Amino acid sequence: MSAPPYRISFVCLGNICRSPMAAVVMRSLVADAGLPVQVDSAGTGSWHIGGGANPPAVQALGRRGYDGSTHVARQFGPRDFADYDLVIGLDRHNVADLRRLAPDDEQAAKVVLLRDFDPDAPTEDRDVPDPYGGPDLDFDHALDLVTAACQGLLAQLPVHR
Ligand code: 4NP
């Protein structure tokens, strides 16, 4: 019998730029590593529920060989915590919002900041900046930060092949 997968959700504000990019990158990393990890994403906001990823985010992923075209945006709610082992905010506001949303301390303890997994992240600013409405360069930069942090996360996952 195989062990149940470790479950991760990445959470940003709109769930159309940063957290979908993080989910696509992390899914690729755990697939390459052969690890039993289930990855998805959500937003704290409701504006984009049911929609696809922001086209510049899909294009930034595409420039690196990833497919972001199948994403469907959803909103993270208090009852969702029980479905995950780790709930990863893309910036400090997402982390604060998620901790407020958590139904109890046990669920709130699942909330972490993505760039805390990047050993090279500066201590003073560990946000993945919101690229929404910005130029392609901002999406590429967000993807750089997400990729470095996801590599660090992969190395620290409590699951083994
Ligand atoms: P995300 O970017 O949180 O990285 O998905 C945003 C997308 C949309 C909005 C805000 C942030 N919005 O206000 O619609």
Side-chain angles (χ1 to χ4, degrees):
M1 203 174 80
S2 60
Y6 191 76
R7 303 157 302 169
I8 296 172
S9 190
F10 293 100
V11 180
C12 62
L13 180 57
N15 191 218
I16 59 171
C17 302
R18 294 166 293 170
S19 62
M21 292 198 292
V24 166
V25 169
M26 195 65 201
R27 259 185 225 120
S28 169
L29 288 171
V30 297
D32 288 350
L35 295 178
V37 179
Q38 181 185 302
V39 180
D40 63 29
S41 70
T44 56
S46 61
W47 310 284
H48 301 285
I49 291 172
N54 196 218
V58 177
Q59 289 155 14
L61 287 165
R63 284 193 284 281
R64 300 195 185 177
Y66 298 113
D67 178 11
S69 68
T70 60
H71 176 67
V72 180
R74 54 191 274 273
Q75 185 177 27
F76 202 89
R79 285 190 300 274
D80 291 319
F81 284 92
D83 294 335
Y84 300 97
D85 298 296
L86 208 52
V87 180
I88 306 181
L90 273 281
D91 67 28
R92 72 193 96 162
H93 306 292
N94 308 142
V95 166
D97 289 344
L98 284 163
R99 287 186 178 143
R100 262 196 303 274
L101 206 58
D104 57 39
D105 290 350
E106 184 190 350
Q107 301 304 327
K110 296 176 176 178
V111 179
V112 294
L113 179 64
L114 175 60
R115 292 190 75 207
D116 281 349
F117 293 99
D118 180 352
D120 298 321
T123 46
E124 67 277 12
D125 181 2
R126 297 191 158 199
D127 291 342
V128 176
D130 189 351
Y132 184 59
D136 288 350
L137 204 65
D138 290 358
F139 286 82
D140 290 333
H141 179 58
L143 195 45
D144 285 339
L145 301 181
V146 159
T147 302
C150 284
Q151 283 163 345
L153 171 61
L154 180 74
Q156 293 178 53
L157 284 178
V159 286
H160 304 281
R161 197 144 31 151

